[in-house]
Amino acid sequence: MGRIRLADISTRAPKDFDKETTKAKTQEILGQLDELQNLLYAESKYAILVILQGPDASGKDGVIRNVFTSMNPQGITVKSFKTPTAAELSHDFLWRVHEAAPAKGMVQVFNRSQYEDILITRVHKWIDDDMAKKRMKAINDFEKLLEEHNNTQILKFYLHVSPEEQQERLQERIKDRTKQWKYNENDFAEAKLLKEYRSAYEDCFEYCNDIPWTIVPADQNWYKEYIIASTLLATLKKLDMKFPGLKKSNQGY
Amino acid sequence: MGRIRLADISTRAPKDFDKETTKAKTQEILGQLDELQNLLYAESKYAILVILQGPDASGKDGVIRNVFTSMNPQGITVKSFKTPTAAELSHDFLWRVHEAAPAKGMVQVFNRSQYEDILITRVHKWIDDDMAKKRMKAINDFEKLLEEHNNTQILKFYLHVSPEEQQERLQERIKDRTKQWKYNENDFAEAKLLKEYRSAYEDCFEYCNDIPWTIVPADQNWYKEYIIASTLLATLKKLDMKFPGLKKSNQGY
């Protein structure tokens, strides 16, 4: 497979997807997810890590609200990665990420993630290509650790938004009083760098794809939510989980 | 270099080391360490991780008391790794270790460490050789992460104690009222497995030596403390640290 070019990939649902039918399907999937999450928690054998990445206003918060709110809060946590704190900057870049890794039985959603350390940092040239390569290697090792040593299923979603849709949403953040809290004074300056961000994402897809990315057309929320919910459902179904019997005493490690 | 055979390595100081002279040297080193630790903290460019491993009663607690107590507590923390908690067991084995990794400017001492996950676990056959190999690889990747991405200097010490000295110390734990709190009902059963533990340690030296181990003859506390203090001093001196000037504002990552 050649290098993915985001500019060549549609940000919209395929023509044969109807909005209302798809929304109904999503609701049905959410019901199944609820049951499977209960089993996941009871068995506590697997962990689920959902990584949400995408440009500003690509709809990460909306996915969390519309896909994950229906889950039992005892079994799901959301971690938003913001500008690193002083304490976080005093550690390697994966330190704060590892701390937030899901325990077995849990679903953890990352709103932004370790990938910011090879996205915003590259677009603004805070790190050079050599450091980026090293971080990509470290990210691959890290994801393998979670997968191999804690049965963590990692789902990586890129929310693919068009520049037009992004601009519209950012304008809304200014105009809509209920959305103004989301506005950041850098938003428009960052949006001008969408091409550079896409290029940095394309490198993620090329070099950090041991655990594969799903590119989610994200201009229409209903389609984006359907893709994420159905991908999650397929992942949970594949796990072949079962309710555990009486617990044996734990001898040690 | 061939495989290290602990049975062939002396647990005692070389003949030309005199107890009183060596103790005086150690005290002088501790004075230098105090100054260098202050610089380490001020510059906050490097982190120091000291890993103390060794069989029961090999003197890990004594090293912490006699070598590290003289340091500014604002710049040093000690983490003791015990039997993993339920929360820790719900994660990959490096999760709790990563959380305890030192911030830049800090000295972190590990009383036991990630290596227990390929020591006690192997001796008691809780994991097989294939899993041990995977964990060794994960440990190497992890240590490289700390080193490469947080300027962490990792010092790994194996406290090498003879079976006779170990037995004597364990007897003291029973007889000496001030040491009884350290006694664990498994201690003598574990001590019978010293040969098996040594073999597991030899594997650590063979497969997890990217960051090298120091084997410390540990039957005599004064020699053990001298070796650790002088190794730490040499490490700090090599860093070529300097006091920082006025801080520039931090632009981001």
Side-chain angles (χ1 to χ4, degrees):
Chain A
M1 184 181 81
R3 182 179 171 89
I4 284 169
R5 299 279 171 197
L6 284 171
D8 300 339
I9 296 177
S10 173
T11 57
R12 301 186 65 80
K15 287 237 159 54
D16 49 335
F17 275 81
D18 166 73
K19 180 173 176 176
E20 293 313 315
T21 316
T22 305
K23 282 183 110 169
K25 270 194 205 165
T26 301
Q27 287 309 309
E28 199 241 309
I29 290 172
L30 295 187
Q32 293 184 61
L33 282 178
D34 178 57
E35 278 176 56
L36 285 164
Q37 186 213 1
N38 187 38
L39 183 51
L40 179 83
Y41 189 80
E43 190 183 43
S44 285
K45 180 176 170 186
Y46 299 101
I48 304 289
L49 175 57
V50 177
I51 294 176
L52 299 177
Q53 283 286 163
D56 289 335
S58 58
K60 299 181 285 297
D61 295 328
V63 169
I64 294 167
R65 191 172 61 247
N66 295 317
V67 177
F68 294 97
T69 299
S70 62
M71 287 189 169
N72 181 344
Q74 190 160 248
I76 183 169
T77 51
V78 177
K79 167 77 182 173
S80 291
F81 289 95
K82 316 261 185 196
T83 306
T85 65
E88 288 165 355
L89 285 170
S90 297
H91 290 82
D92 66 84
F93 75 103
L94 291 175
W95 179 75
R96 66 175 187 161
V97 184
H98 208 163
E99 193 271 338
K104 290 192 192 82
M106 295 291 293
V107 176
Q108 172 70 280
V109 179
F110 279 0
N111 187 350
R112 304 186 185 275
S113 68
Q114 61 270 21
Y115 287 98
E116 290 299 325
D117 294 289
I118 49 172
L119 290 164
I120 188 171
T121 48
R122 295 190 76 193
V123 169
H124 291 282
K125 305 200 190 310
W126 299 331
I127 64 169
D128 62 18
D129 287 350
D130 185 52
M131 176 56 70
K133 283 276 164 68
K134 284 180 179 174
R135 288 191 178 182
M136 288 166 180
K137 169 74 169 58
I139 286 172
N140 287 336
D141 290 343
F142 171 69
E143 292 181 355
K144 193 176 178 187
L145 171 75
L146 299 189
E147 188 179 56
E148 202 167 88
H149 294 273
N150 203 47
N151 298 337
T152 307
Q153 307 291 309
I154 304 177
L155 290 86
K156 307 194 289 198
F157 295 106
Y158 170 72
L159 306 191
H160 185 37
V161 72
S162 64
E164 298 75 20
E165 180 67 23
Q166 187 189 32
Q167 284 298 321
E168 201 167 295
R169 293 179 186 178
L170 289 177
Q171 293 291 346
E172 262 182 42
R173 286 188 184 178
I174 295 175
K175 291 175 195 159
D176 185 338
R177 206 178 57 84
T178 69
K179 293 185 176 173
Q180 285 170 354
W181 65 275
K182 300 191 75 171
Y183 180 69
N184 183 305
E185 60 174 359
N186 297 324
D187 280 353
F188 285 100
E190 288 291 293
K192 280 188 186 147
L193 299 167
L194 183 59
K195 207 174 148 190
E196 287 79 1
Y197 272 101
R198 283 184 168 182
S199 167
Y201 271 110
E202 286 162 2
D203 275 353
C204 295
F205 306 149
E206 185 162 357
Y207 300 109
C208 294
N209 209 46
D210 294 352
I211 292 168
W213 284 89
T214 301
I215 296 169
V216 184
D219 278 3
Q220 298 141 296
N221 290 329
W222 57 269
Y223 186 68
K224 166 191 80 180
E225 289 157 13
Y226 168 74
I227 293 295
I228 290 174
S230 58
T231 305
L232 183 56
L233 179 66
T235 301
L236 285 168
K237 276 186 166 174
K238 259 195 314 201
L239 292 182
D240 191 28
M241 298 178 284
K242 56 180 183 293
F243 283 96
L246 284 172
K247 290 215 169 171
K248 288 174 194 161
S249 73
N250 195 332
Q251 211 203 344
Y253 282 71
Chain B
M1 181 182 81
R3 183 178 170 88
I4 285 168
R5 299 279 171 197
L6 284 171
D8 300 339
I9 296 177
S10 173
T11 58
R12 302 185 64 79
K15 286 237 160 52
D16 50 333
F17 274 80
D18 167 73
K19 179 175 178 177
E20 292 313 314
T21 316
T22 304
K23 283 184 108 169
K25 270 195 205 166
T26 301
Q27 286 310 308
E28 199 242 307
I29 289 170
L30 295 187
Q32 293 183 63
L33 281 178
D34 178 58
E35 279 177 54
L36 284 164
Q37 186 212 1
N38 187 38
L39 183 52
L40 179 84
Y41 189 80
E43 192 183 41
S44 286
K45 181 176 170 186
Y46 299 101
I48 305 288
L49 174 57
V50 177
I51 294 176
L52 298 177
Q53 282 287 164
D56 289 337
S58 58
K60 299 181 287 294
D61 295 327
V63 168
I64 294 167
R65 190 171 62 247
N66 294 317
V67 176
F68 294 98
T69 300
S70 61
M71 288 189 167
N72 182 343
Q74 190 161 248
I76 183 169
T77 50
V78 176
K79 168 76 181 173
S80 291
F81 288 95
K82 316 261 187 196
T83 305
T85 65
E88 287 164 355
L89 285 170
S90 296
H91 289 82
D92 68 84
F93 75 103
L94 291 174
W95 178 75
R96 65 175 187 161
V97 184
H98 208 162
E99 192 273 338
K104 291 192 191 82
M106 296 293 291
V107 177
Q108 172 68 281
V109 180
F110 280 0
N111 187 350
R112 303 187 185 274
S113 69
Q114 61 270 23
Y115 286 98
E116 291 299 326
D117 294 290
I118 47 172
L119 289 165
I120 188 171
T121 48
R122 295 191 76 194
V123 168
H124 291 282
K125 306 199 190 310
W126 299 332
I127 64 170
D128 63 18
D129 287 349
D130 185 50
M131 177 56 70
K133 282 277 162 67
K134 285 181 179 174
R135 288 190 178 182
M136 287 167 180
K137 169 71 170 57
I139 286 172
N140 288 337
D141 290 343
F142 172 69
E143 292 181 357
K144 193 176 177 187
L145 171 74
L146 300 188
E147 188 180 56
E148 202 167 88
H149 294 274
N150 203 46
N151 298 338
T152 306
Q153 306 291 309
I154 305 177
L155 291 86
K156 307 195 288 199
F157 296 106
Y158 170 72
L159 306 191
H160 185 37
V161 71
S162 64
E164 297 77 19
E165 179 67 24
Q166 188 189 31
Q167 283 298 322
E168 200 168 295
R169 291 179 188 178
L170 289 177
Q171 292 292 347
E172 261 182 42
R173 286 188 184 177
I174 295 176
K175 291 175 193 160
D176 185 337
R177 203 178 60 82
T178 68
K179 293 184 177 174
Q180 285 171 354
W181 66 274
K182 301 190 74 171
Y183 181 70
N184 184 305
E185 59 174 359
N186 297 325
D187 281 353
F188 285 100
E190 287 292 293
K192 280 189 186 147
L193 300 167
L194 183 59
K195 207 175 148 189
E196 286 79 0
Y197 271 101
R198 282 185 169 180
S199 168
Y201 271 111
E202 287 163 0
D203 276 353
C204 295
F205 307 150
E206 185 162 355
Y207 299 109
C208 293
N209 207 47
D210 294 353
I211 294 168
W213 284 89
T214 302
I215 295 169
V216 184
D219 278 3
Q220 297 141 296
N221 290 328
W222 56 270
Y223 184 68
K224 166 191 77 181
E225 289 157 12
Y226 168 74
I227 292 296
I228 290 174
S230 57
T231 304
L232 184 56
L233 179 66
T235 301
L236 286 168
K237 276 187 166 173
K238 260 195 313 202
L239 293 181
D240 192 28
M241 298 179 284
K242 53 181 185 293
F243 282 96
L246 284 173
K247 291 214 170 171
K248 288 173 195 160
S249 73
N250 195 331
Q251 210 205 343
Y253 283 72

